[in-house]
Amino acid sequence: DTGVGIPTQVIKDIFKPFFTTKDVGTGTGLGLYMSHEIIKKHEGLISVSSKQGQGTTFTIDLPAKARVS
């Protein structure tokens, strides 16, 4: 995105369950955690790159597997 970016000291925590930077009662802090877990279950990876004032990019890599019948 082209938003404000994620502060460096916060990036290490964004995939932890219940972590949020929102006000109390506004979010559960489970969105990125659940995404991370689903991607991991599919043997994939999610990574983040962010620059303050420029935005954030999340990259999801999933393996391509041949279907065996």
Side-chain angles (χ1 to χ4, degrees):
D1 69 16
T2 55
V4 299
I6 303 171
T8 305
Q9 65 271 22
V10 172
I11 285 183
K12 64 180 176 49
D13 296 321
I14 63 173
F15 295 113
K16 292 180 180 177
F18 305 108
F19 178 81
T20 184
T21 58
K22 295 179 181 176
D23 292 334
V24 174
T26 306
T28 61
L30 290 174
L32 285 173
Y33 168 72
M34 292 298 294
S35 298
H36 178 268
E37 292 301 302
I38 291 168
I39 293 164
K40 190 167 78 172
K41 292 275 186 202
H42 290 279
E43 299 176 16
L45 298 171
I46 183 170
S47 60
V48 60
S49 172
S50 187
K51 292 187 180 179
Q52 294 250 221
Q54 295 182 12
T56 302
T57 301
F58 285 90
T59 303
I60 299 169
D61 294 303
L62 295 171
K65 291 186 178 180
R67 204 169 205 174
V68 179
S69 299

